[in-house]
Amino acid sequence: MSTPIRVVVVDDHPVFRMGMAGLLRSLDGFDLVGQAESPAQAREIVDAEVDVVLMDLDLAGESGVVLTRELLASYPDLKILVVTMHEDDVSVLAAMRAGARGYLLKSAAPEQLERAVRSVALGDLIMGQGVAERALSYVASSPAGGSGRPRPFPELTDRELEVLDLVARGLGNAAIARALTLSDKTVRNHVSHLLTKLGVRDRAGAVAAARDAGLGAGV
């Protein structure tokens, strides 16, 4: 008999977490190692023997994206499948940048979740219906999307250009920080620098300049 897939569920909502645990226990080929409601508990439970972590993005005020990055830094072979209510571009991008191998919405059917966990455990990249299209659209419209057009604003660093694109999409500093896995202070510094380099007085001026250059697509 094949070795069961060892799974940890990380979610701060007890009803959903216990429901997920019950589902996994009912399926053949899975070994539920443990449940965690916080990053602190997850760090205690997850070890090198765990195959897949089912990760929520909102953990009682803490970030599942940050926890994803931390766990993968300690256990590079770990596979993380995000299971969340968030289907916005920023959340998808942040999770995939952090190293998640899959992204499902909590509305996914049980059989879809089962397939996703099995596929992620094998190393596949899995996204739920609609999420993949949004992610591909985001990448295609980003500054590094390979459109063949000259790079706008050569005076900006790559990171500043990335921040400017998100500013032009209407994101606030907190959302940008989450998307790029940066601190709020770092984002504020980038915004300040790019305003100076662009010679504009405020955020509205930066947005206008960015959109004139083709950034902020999809808003």
XYZ file of all heavy atoms in Angstrom, residues 40-97:
438
model
N 1.708 30.292 15.259
C 2.502 29.695 16.332
C 2.230 28.197 16.438
O 3.164 27.385 16.560
C 2.194 30.382 17.659
N 0.952 27.813 16.390
C 0.613 26.395 16.451
C 1.123 25.662 15.223
O 1.604 24.522 15.317
C -0.894 26.212 16.578
C -1.449 26.569 17.945
C -2.923 26.218 18.066
O -3.550 25.754 17.123
N -3.484 26.452 19.245
N 1.023 26.315 14.064
C 1.480 25.672 12.825
C 2.972 25.374 12.884
O 3.423 24.305 12.462
C 1.163 26.562 11.631
N 3.747 26.306 13.417
C 5.199 26.102 13.506
C 5.530 24.919 14.420
O 6.527 24.234 14.204
C 5.874 27.371 14.024
C 5.759 28.566 13.086
C 6.532 29.768 13.607
N 6.182 30.969 12.881
C 5.372 31.923 13.336
N 4.839 31.804 14.550
N 5.101 32.983 12.612
N 4.689 24.683 15.422
C 4.920 23.562 16.330
C 4.567 22.225 15.680
O 5.196 21.203 15.957
C 4.097 23.742 17.606
C 4.528 24.920 18.470
C 3.641 25.077 19.694
O 2.664 24.290 19.824
O 3.910 25.973 20.518
N 3.554 22.231 14.826
C 3.053 20.978 14.246
C 3.805 20.572 12.983
O 4.127 19.396 12.792
C 1.551 21.118 13.930
C 0.758 21.320 15.221
C 1.039 19.891 13.179
C -0.697 21.663 14.992
N 4.068 21.544 12.114
C 4.674 21.218 10.815
C 6.141 20.859 10.995
O 6.894 21.564 11.670
C 4.532 22.411 9.841
C 5.258 22.106 8.527
C 3.053 22.705 9.578
N 6.530 19.739 10.385
C 7.930 19.337 10.391
C 8.271 18.745 9.025
O 7.452 18.791 8.097
C 8.228 18.347 11.517
C 7.368 17.085 11.443
O 6.901 16.738 10.334
O 7.165 16.448 12.479
N 9.443 18.178 8.909
C 9.918 17.679 7.616
C 9.119 16.480 7.116
O 9.225 16.112 5.935
C 11.397 17.324 7.710
N 8.324 15.849 7.999
C 7.543 14.679 7.609
C 6.196 15.044 6.990
O 5.518 14.199 6.422
C 7.322 13.775 8.827
C 8.612 13.260 9.459
C 9.445 12.463 8.479
O 8.859 11.623 7.747
O 10.666 12.683 8.433
N 5.788 16.302 7.126
C 4.502 16.748 6.569
C 4.643 16.945 5.061
O 5.630 17.511 4.591
C 4.038 18.056 7.248
C 2.776 18.603 6.577
C 3.795 17.821 8.728
N 3.644 16.484 4.326
C 3.667 16.601 2.862
C 2.953 17.859 2.366
O 3.455 18.581 1.506
C 3.013 15.371 2.220
C 3.732 14.088 2.555
O 4.956 14.026 2.338
O 3.077 13.150 3.051
N 1.755 18.115 2.903
C 0.919 19.218 2.415
C 0.320 19.981 3.589
O -0.145 19.365 4.556
C -0.224 18.697 1.512
C -1.121 19.854 1.052
C 0.327 17.952 0.306
N 0.332 21.298 3.485
C -0.367 22.155 4.441
C -1.515 22.842 3.715
O -1.308 23.442 2.651
C 0.572 23.217 5.053
C -0.230 24.230 5.865
C 1.629 22.561 5.926
N -2.719 22.739 4.268
C -3.858 23.505 3.769
C -3.868 24.819 4.534
O -4.057 24.834 5.754
C -5.166 22.745 3.979
C -5.249 21.347 3.347
C -6.650 20.781 3.505
C -4.859 21.386 1.886
N -3.670 25.915 3.838
C -3.387 27.208 4.467
C -4.459 28.253 4.178
O -4.732 28.572 3.016
C -2.042 27.719 3.955
C -1.617 29.078 4.486
S -1.067 29.007 6.188
C 0.522 28.160 5.972
N -5.041 28.785 5.244
C -5.902 29.960 5.094
C -5.000 31.194 5.024
O -3.860 31.170 5.495
C -6.856 30.071 6.285
C -7.961 31.087 6.064
O -8.142 31.538 4.921
O -8.639 31.438 7.047
N -5.504 32.284 4.453
C -4.689 33.496 4.336
C -4.876 34.440 5.515
O -3.980 35.220 5.828
C -5.004 34.234 3.032
C -4.599 33.531 1.743
C -4.893 34.422 0.546
C -3.140 33.130 1.759
N -6.033 34.397 6.161
C -6.306 35.263 7.305
C -6.307 34.421 8.573
O -7.187 33.586 8.777
C -7.663 35.961 7.154
C -7.663 36.950 5.999
O -6.627 37.591 5.789
O -8.699 37.062 5.328
N -5.321 34.654 9.432
C -5.174 33.846 10.636
C -5.248 34.738 11.873
O -4.241 35.079 12.480
C -3.844 33.088 10.601
C -3.686 32.117 9.423
C -2.264 31.582 9.360
C -4.696 30.982 9.522
N -6.471 35.162 12.193
C -6.705 35.999 13.371
C -5.780 37.213 13.395
O -5.091 37.473 14.384
C -6.538 35.177 14.648
N -5.751 37.926 12.283
C -4.944 39.136 12.208
C -3.528 38.905 11.728
O -2.787 39.862 11.495
N -3.124 37.650 11.570
C -1.805 37.340 11.049
C -1.930 36.841 9.616
O -3.010 36.467 9.156
C -1.104 36.313 11.937
C -0.884 36.810 13.363
C -0.036 35.859 14.181
O 1.175 35.781 13.932
O -0.601 35.195 15.063
N -0.810 36.804 8.912
C -0.830 36.534 7.482
C -0.435 35.103 7.147
O 0.650 34.641 7.497
C 0.122 37.501 6.761
O 0.277 37.139 5.401
N -1.325 34.413 6.420
C -0.990 33.091 5.914
C 0.079 33.150 4.846
O 0.806 32.174 4.630
N 0.181 34.289 4.161
C 1.229 34.458 3.149
C 2.600 34.453 3.813
O 3.532 33.771 3.366
C 1.022 35.762 2.348
C 2.236 36.061 1.473
C -0.239 35.667 1.503
N 2.739 35.216 4.897
C 4.010 35.261 5.622
C 4.349 33.891 6.190
O 5.498 33.430 6.107
C 3.955 36.316 6.743
C 5.205 36.243 7.608
C 3.814 37.708 6.146
N 3.346 33.207 6.746
C 3.577 31.874 7.301
C 3.987 30.894 6.205
O 4.862 30.045 6.422
C 2.323 31.375 8.010
C 2.416 29.982 8.626
C 3.546 29.918 9.662
C 1.075 29.595 9.255
N 3.388 31.007 5.040
C 3.771 30.159 3.909
C 5.247 30.315 3.586
O 5.987 29.335 3.437
C 2.924 30.506 2.669
O 1.568 30.134 2.904
C 3.432 29.790 1.420
N 5.680 31.561 3.509
C 7.089 31.819 3.200
C 8.008 31.258 4.300
O 9.065 30.677 4.000
C 7.310 33.329 3.020
C 8.680 33.700 2.481
C 8.789 35.199 2.282
N 7.877 35.673 1.263
C 8.117 35.614 -0.046
N 9.250 35.098 -0.479
N 7.249 36.086 -0.906
N 7.616 31.427 5.548
C 8.430 30.943 6.664
C 8.557 29.422 6.644
O 9.650 28.871 6.820
C 7.819 31.382 7.993
C 7.926 32.876 8.267
C 7.293 33.247 9.598
O 6.875 32.318 10.336
O 7.217 34.439 9.900
N 7.431 28.738 6.461
C 7.462 27.275 6.475
C 8.286 26.720 5.323
O 9.029 25.742 5.489
C 6.034 26.723 6.420
C 5.157 26.970 7.650
C 3.762 26.404 7.429
C 5.788 26.364 8.902
N 8.173 27.332 4.165
C 8.928 26.849 3.008
C 10.417 27.123 3.155
O 11.246 26.382 2.613
C 8.388 27.481 1.724
C 6.993 26.993 1.312
C 6.489 27.781 0.110
C 7.014 25.504 1.000
N 10.759 28.183 3.877
C 12.174 28.455 4.131
C 12.772 27.357 5.005
O 13.947 26.981 4.852
C 12.335 29.812 4.805
N 11.961 26.821 5.924
C 12.429 25.755 6.812
C 12.310 24.376 6.175
O 13.161 23.502 6.409
C 11.626 25.772 8.119
O 11.794 26.990 8.812
N 11.276 24.187 5.352
C 11.013 22.880 4.750
C 10.757 23.051 3.252
O 9.602 23.114 2.800
C 9.810 22.205 5.417
C 9.903 22.184 6.920
C 9.106 23.019 7.704
C 10.807 21.340 7.572
C 9.196 23.003 9.093
C 10.913 21.329 8.953
C 10.106 22.162 9.710
O 10.206 22.148 11.081
N 11.798 23.134 2.448
C 11.656 23.434 1.012
C 10.818 22.418 0.239
O 10.245 22.754 -0.798
C 13.111 23.422 0.514
C 13.934 23.698 1.724
C 13.217 23.038 2.857
N 10.734 21.177 0.722
C 9.967 20.150 0.013
C 8.488 20.167 0.375
O 7.692 19.423 -0.214
C 10.542 18.762 0.321
C 11.935 18.573 -0.269
O 12.235 19.221 -1.289
O 12.719 17.799 0.315
N 8.109 20.983 1.336
C 6.717 21.088 1.752
C 5.879 21.680 0.621
O 6.318 22.570 -0.098
C 6.625 21.982 2.992
C 5.250 22.201 3.615
C 4.713 20.905 4.205
C 5.325 23.287 4.686
N 4.657 21.177 0.479
C 3.719 21.716 -0.510
C 2.589 22.417 0.237
O 2.015 21.851 1.180
C 3.150 20.605 -1.394
C 4.191 19.722 -2.062
C 5.091 20.516 -2.975
C 5.991 19.613 -3.823
N 6.899 18.761 -3.007
N 2.284 23.640 -0.173
C 1.228 24.413 0.500
C 0.101 24.711 -0.474
O 0.322 25.246 -1.564
C 1.798 25.713 1.097
C 2.769 25.359 2.233
C 0.671 26.618 1.603
C 3.349 26.531 2.967
N -1.099 24.326 -0.059
C -2.313 24.578 -0.822
C -3.134 25.615 -0.069
O -3.608 25.352 1.034
C -3.114 23.286 -0.997
C -4.509 23.408 -1.615
C -4.433 23.956 -3.033
C -5.225 22.055 -1.590
N -3.285 26.796 -0.642
C -4.085 27.848 -0.028
C -5.560 27.527 -0.221
O -5.992 27.201 -1.336
C -3.754 29.222 -0.645
C -4.761 30.283 -0.189
C -2.335 29.634 -0.276
N -6.329 27.596 0.867
C -7.773 27.421 0.807
C -8.378 28.623 1.523
O -8.266 28.756 2.740
C -8.228 26.108 1.473
C -9.733 25.910 1.290
C -7.467 24.920 0.899
N -9.015 29.509 0.772
C -9.381 30.816 1.310
C -10.680 31.329 0.716
O -11.186 30.784 -0.278
C -8.242 31.821 1.004
O -8.578 33.113 1.530
C -8.011 31.944 -0.492
N -11.203 32.398 1.316
C -12.365 33.086 0.761
C -11.960 34.127 -0.275
O -12.783 34.602 -1.052
C -13.142 33.788 1.886
C -13.757 32.847 2.913
S -15.071 31.815 2.241
C -16.310 33.066 1.887
N -10.685 34.502 -0.291
C -10.226 35.600 -1.142
C -9.936 35.129 -2.562
O -9.159 34.198 -2.765
C -8.960 36.228 -0.566
C -9.145 36.828 0.790
N -9.921 37.937 1.016
C -8.667 36.457 2.010
C -9.910 38.241 2.306
N -9.162 37.348 2.925
N -10.542 35.789 -3.548
C -10.274 35.447 -4.937
C -9.746 36.645 -5.736
O -9.717 36.621 -6.960
C -11.535 34.891 -5.599
C -12.738 35.823 -5.571
C -13.952 35.192 -6.229
O -13.779 34.519 -7.270
O -15.070 35.378 -5.710
N -9.306 37.685 -5.025
C -8.801 38.868 -5.713
C -7.385 38.624 -6.224
O -6.649 37.760 -5.740
C -8.818 40.074 -4.773
C -7.984 39.822 -3.525
O -8.483 39.110 -2.632
O -6.850 40.302 -3.460
N -6.987 39.424 -7.210
C -5.674 39.281 -7.835
C -4.541 39.407 -6.824
O -3.549 38.676 -6.889
C -5.486 40.351 -8.925
C -6.479 40.211 -10.060
O -7.011 39.102 -10.244
O -6.733 41.206 -10.757
N -4.677 40.341 -5.896
C -3.611 40.597 -4.937
C -3.345 39.372 -4.076
O -2.195 38.979 -3.861
C -3.954 41.812 -4.051
C -2.949 41.961 -2.925
C -3.987 43.076 -4.892
N -4.406 38.741 -3.577
C -4.234 37.569 -2.726
C -3.616 36.405 -3.488
O -2.729 35.714 -2.984
C -5.589 37.144 -2.136
O -6.110 38.142 -1.297
N -4.085 36.184 -4.717
C -3.529 35.102 -5.534
C -2.049 35.342 -5.787
O -1.208 34.446 -5.604
C -4.283 34.982 -6.876
C -3.620 33.928 -7.760
C -5.752 34.631 -6.651
N -1.712 36.565 -6.203
C -0.322 36.888 -6.511
C 0.556 36.741 -5.275
O 1.658 36.168 -5.337
C -0.224 38.324 -7.041
C 1.181 38.820 -7.384
C 1.781 38.006 -8.513
C 1.143 40.303 -7.753
N 0.076 37.225 -4.130
C 0.864 37.152 -2.903
C 1.136 35.707 -2.513
O 2.257 35.353 -2.129
C 0.147 37.879 -1.777
N 0.124 34.860 -2.611
C 0.284 33.455 -2.230
C 1.273 32.735 -3.138
O 2.135 31.979 -2.673
C -1.067 32.747 -2.253
N 1.167 32.977 -4.435
C 2.052 32.292 -5.372
C 3.482 32.814 -5.258
O 4.446 32.055 -5.386
C 1.532 32.431 -6.804
C 0.090 31.973 -7.005
S -0.344 30.417 -6.180
C 0.501 29.244 -7.230
N 3.626 34.100 -4.992
C 4.969 34.647 -4.768
C 5.614 34.015 -3.538
O 6.827 33.816 -3.499
C 4.900 36.167 -4.573
C 4.746 36.980 -5.842
C 4.708 38.453 -5.481
N 4.568 39.292 -6.661
C 5.557 39.685 -7.444
N 6.788 39.290 -7.153
N 5.354 40.446 -8.490
